[in-house]
Amino acid sequence: MKARVFVTLKTGVLDPQGEAIRHALGSLGFGGVESVRQGKVIEIELAETDPARAEAEVARMAEKLLANTVIENYRVEMVG
Amino acid sequence: MKARVFVTLKTGVLDPQGEAIRHALGSLGFGGVESVRQGKVIEIELAETDPARAEAEVARMAEKLLANTVIENYRVEMVG
């Protein structure tokens, strides 16, 4: 099974990478960009074939390693 | 309108961050992890209200700045 974990900064947490992108887009002439936030996607290929078990396992991985839950949210999506 | 741009390394391009995560998951006792790839998500809030025009604009941003199309693929998703 394949899973995708989306890790994004919580609202209110400063995002310097996102800010840098917003500035760069402005310099390149892209108008109307109100805000930019940058996050991570982690694609994991698992041997596990049961979707529910795989999803629970990936959520544990996110809690333990992939996301810093103090400042980041995560969302797990099973791909198939 | 809000758009998400997913930027991932092309197949065959070495992904040291993904490899580091795979090793770390193994050390933490997560078995059955076959491969891990890490990518970026960029969430952009736009003043543009027309979905088709917004999507085209974001695709141009991805080509020009957000993705290095030599080694990375990107996908644009409109959120609403």
Side-chain angles (χ1 to χ4, degrees):
Chain A
M1 296 225 61
K2 196 172 167 180
R4 279 198 196 107
V5 183
F6 299 93
V7 180
T8 47
L9 285 168
K10 289 186 179 174
T11 334
V13 177
L14 209 68
D15 178 3
Q17 280 184 300
E19 267 309 287
I21 293 172
R22 198 174 64 79
H23 275 278
L25 287 173
S27 312
L28 286 171
F30 290 104
V33 178
E34 288 169 356
S35 80
V36 179
R37 305 279 285 171
Q38 187 179 322
K40 287 178 282 188
V41 208
I42 297 138
E43 293 191 340
I44 303 174
E45 194 76 57
L46 293 157
E48 177 65 63
T49 51
D50 178 73
R53 285 225 303 258
E55 192 167 347
E57 179 88 340
V58 172
R60 276 194 300 274
M61 292 176 188
E63 288 283 341
K64 269 201 153 176
L65 179 75
L66 308 176
N68 173 353
T69 53
V70 177
I71 54 164
E72 292 171 330
N73 293 316
Y74 69 87
R75 185 165 60 81
V76 176
E77 178 187 292
M78 301 310 293
V79 186
Chain B
M1 296 226 60
K2 196 172 165 180
R4 279 198 196 105
V5 183
F6 300 93
V7 179
T8 47
L9 285 168
K10 289 185 179 176
T11 333
V13 177
L14 210 67
D15 178 3
Q17 282 184 298
E19 266 309 287
I21 294 172
R22 197 174 65 80
H23 275 277
L25 287 172
S27 312
L28 287 170
F30 291 103
V33 178
E34 289 170 354
S35 80
V36 179
R37 304 279 284 172
Q38 187 180 322
K40 288 177 282 186
V41 209
I42 298 140
E43 293 191 338
I44 303 174
E45 195 76 58
L46 292 159
E48 177 66 64
T49 51
D50 178 74
R53 285 224 301 256
E55 190 167 347
E57 179 88 339
V58 171
R60 276 194 299 272
M61 292 176 188
E63 289 281 343
K64 268 201 152 174
L65 180 76
L66 308 176
N68 175 353
T69 53
V70 177
I71 54 164
E72 291 170 330
N73 293 317
Y74 69 88
R75 184 165 61 80
V76 176
E77 181 186 290
M78 300 311 292
V79 185

